[in-house]
Amino acid sequence: AQSVTQPDIHITVSEGASLELRCNYSYGATPYLFWYVQSPGQGLQLLLKYFSGDTLVQGIKGFEAEFKRSQSSFNLRKPSVHWSDAAEYFCAVGVRAGNNRKLIWGLGTSLAVNP
Amino acid sequence: EPEVTQTPSHQVTQMGQEVILRCVPISNHLYFYWYRQILGQKVEFLVSFYNNEISEKSEIFDDQFSVERPDGSNFTLKIRSTKLEDSAMYFCASSEALRQWINEKLFFGSGTQLSVL
């Protein structure tokens, strides 16, 4: 069965510190992986995605993620966190659903940033 | 960047009442979706819609749910007789019709928080 696990429910980091949010997936075929961010009162915004090719993908807002097939992981990283990065982060895997696709989501990781 | 618009942002209803959640997808998009997130749980896929018909639906999307594109701009989710467990944040999303479907980018609205009392 397809599933996405985000082991950390809540993380707190200091502004300027580095960040890594973990994501593990279970999917039989080639995974299409996504990270979304949800700021308070905002919709879900795509940070980055992996379909194929280079396993290190760059996204918006200075985020990057690395796909590691051997570990079934797609961890999100940022070298220096800003206070505005405080939000909920969701990892998702895309699977075919009829003619469309659907996303299987992780539970999310809530990020708090200390000044 | 273009936006998906959802109204209302928060809806409160009594159990057994009908609710309609409204979404205005991005104008040139052809694929539409509803997801929901119950507090403390994962975001869940409900339904996808293309060419005026449901393309795929989850087990959650039972006979109490329906979707409609009543005109050229709106995409609605109707819950006929709400239950307490329908309380959740409902997200609408839309995407273009690209040849390689997996390359589509989903644009999400900011959600409607439905509270069933």
Side-chain angles (χ1 to χ4, degrees), chain A residues 4 43 51 96 101 103 105, chain B residues 33 35 42 101-104:
Chain A
V4 175
F51 293 153
R96 186 180 286 275
R101 72 154 172 213
L103 295 174
W105 299 80
Chain B
Y33 307 81
Y35 286 81
K42 297 185 180 186
W101 63 273
I102 200 63
N103 288 331
E104 292 163 14

Side-chain angles (χ1 to χ4, degrees), chain A residues 8-23:
Chain A
D8 305 305
I9 295 173
H10 187 91
I11 286 182
T12 301
V13 299
S14 297
E15 191 168 17
S18 64
L19 172 71
E20 181 169 30
L21 302 183
R22 295 183 291 165
C23 173

Side-chain angles (χ1 to χ4, degrees), chain B residues 36-91:
Chain B
R36 78 172 185 188
Q37 184 183 24
I38 296 171
L39 187 65
Q41 299 185 23
K42 297 185 180 186
V43 178
E44 301 170 294
F45 168 79
L46 291 179
V47 66
S48 59
F49 189 88
Y50 171 71
N51 199 27
N52 284 320
E53 61 182 18
I54 290 173
S55 180
E56 179 81 9
K57 59 183 181 180
S58 72
E59 61 275 8
I60 302 168
F61 195 88
D62 61 21
D63 292 342
Q64 291 299 311
F65 291 87
S66 62
V67 289
E68 193 179 28
R69 187 142 164 88
D71 51 44
S73 60
N74 290 283
F75 178 54
T76 61
L77 174 69
K78 182 193 289 186
I79 309 175
R80 288 188 182 83
S81 179
T82 51
K83 302 186 286 287
L84 295 177
E85 53 265 38
D86 293 327
S87 295
M89 177 74 86
Y90 288 80
F91 292 102

Side-chain angles (χ1 to χ4, degrees), chain B residues 3 7-8 19 24 27 31-32 36 38 45 53-54 57 66 69-70 72 91-92 96 102 105-106 112 114 116-117:
Chain B
E3 288 186 344
T7 55
V19 294
V24 179
S27 60
Y31 291 131
F32 312 113
R36 78 172 185 188
I38 296 171
F45 168 79
E53 61 182 18
I54 290 173
K57 59 183 181 180
S66 62
R69 187 142 164 88
F91 292 102
C92 173
E96 294 180 80
I102 200 63
K105 178 179 177 182
L106 281 180
T112 294
L114 176 64
V116 182
L117 306 179

